Every structure is written in C-alpha cells, then in structure tokens.
Amino acid sequence: MTQTLAIIKPDAVAGGKAGSILAHVEAAGFTVRALRMTRLSVPQAEAFYAVHRGRPFYGSLCRFMTSGPCIPMVLARADAVGQLRRVIGATDPAEAAPGTVRRLYAESKERNAIHASDSDENAEREIAFFFSQAERTELWE
Ligand code: CMP
C-alpha cells in the first residue's frame, strides 16, 4: 500500500461532480484514508503550487483554486501515485484518454476537476500540507 494526495477542485465541487469522482477513484481500487472539504486562502494556494511560481498560468491557477471549496483527500492502494495519474488522465481534458476522470469531468486545462501528486516525494509533502499525522492514522492503526 502506498498513498497519494488528490484534490477534487473547485470546478468539480461547484458542478456537483464530487460524488461521481469519488466513486470513480474508489471503483479504481483506491481506499479513502482522509478527506475534508475546505476553501484555500490565497497564501495557501500560492504555497501549495509554489513549484509553478513564475509560470504564466500561476496567478490564474491560484485564483481558480481559491474560488470555492475543494476536497483534498488521501488515497491508498498499490502504486498509488502512478495509478491515480493513470486514472485521472492528462492535464488537458482534450488530451486525456477516454474514461479518465479529466476526460469525463474537466472543463479545461486549468479547470481540470482533480489534482494528483506526481511523485512519492511530492505525495508525502502534499499529504502533510492538508492532513496531520493524527488525521491520517487514527482510523487505521
Ligand atoms: P494540477 O495537476 O493541479 O497541477 C498544476 C495545475 O496547473 C494543473 O493541474 C492545471 O490546473 C494547471 N495548469 C497546468 N498547465 C496549465 C496551462 N498551460 N494553462 C493553465 N493551467 C495549467
């Protein structure tokens, strides 16, 4: 078992897609280990996406991610990072494979329904960004 961080983004929450996306990832073999609804502040969004600072879409991305509630969650299964990226599809829904979360539910390259960690190292950092050790383990250990 390994873990990754997913965020159902504000476009998908506002569009009433959160339940369908959660069902999709559970059907793909993931177990939800922690989950909450929150609304990111601007400093939180800027910190979470600090790796993209300087990219042309950074300001717009941070505005979008603070535009409404989102649902961060810790998902577990074997090869969680790689498998979740396969299940969600390419960043741009127009390029995402049929049947992937982004192909089914995303609006655009920015408003793309779901975030997923891109490496085990980033998964660790991103999980810790949203969830304390106690929140991640109290139900499971
Ligand atoms: P995510 O997986 O959350 O990681 C970074 C986010 O930046 C990405 O999903 C998109 O929401 C957004 N993003 C990446 N590239 C672009 C782009 N070229 N134009 C607009 N938004 C982008």
Side-chain angles (χ1 to χ4, degrees):
M1 261 321 179
T2 59
Q3 297 190 351
T4 188
L5 182 93
I7 307 173
I8 302 178
K9 294 188 179 184
D11 59 322
V13 174
K17 308 287 172 46
S20 299
I21 293 173
L22 188 53
H24 191 116
V25 296
E26 286 188 317
F30 290 88
T31 301
V32 180
R33 287 288 180 97
L35 175 150
R36 84 158 67 84
M37 181 176 276
T38 186
R39 183 167 181 173
L40 294 178
S41 66
V42 172
Q44 283 175 323
E46 288 177 348
F48 185 80
Y49 281 117
V51 65
H52 295 302
R53 191 169 279 143
R55 307 277 283 274
F57 57 83
Y58 178 71
S60 174
L61 172 64
C62 292
R63 276 192 298 281
F64 160 56
M65 288 300 292
T66 59
S67 65
C70 65
I71 304 176
M73 63 183 82
V74 179
L75 296 174
R77 62 157 287 169
D79 183 25
V81 168
Q83 289 301 316
L84 188 62
R85 291 183 74 76
R86 184 184 60 77
V87 164
I88 72 173
T91 305
D92 185 343
E95 293 168 10
T100 58
V101 172
R102 284 171 170 160
R103 181 67 170 263
L104 288 167
Y105 302 112
E107 296 173 22
S108 68
K109 199 167 188 177
E110 178 173 274
R111 300 171 64 84
N112 64 355
I114 188 166
H115 167 84
S117 308
D118 64 4
S119 66
D120 286 334
E121 188 185 17
N122 281 338
E124 185 95 352
R125 183 182 65 77
E126 292 179 358
I127 289 169
F129 185 93
F130 284 106
F131 299 101
S132 69
Q133 184 68 23
E135 288 172 300
R136 291 149 57 184
T137 58
E138 64 190 0
L139 299 174
W140 304 93
E141 291 179 357

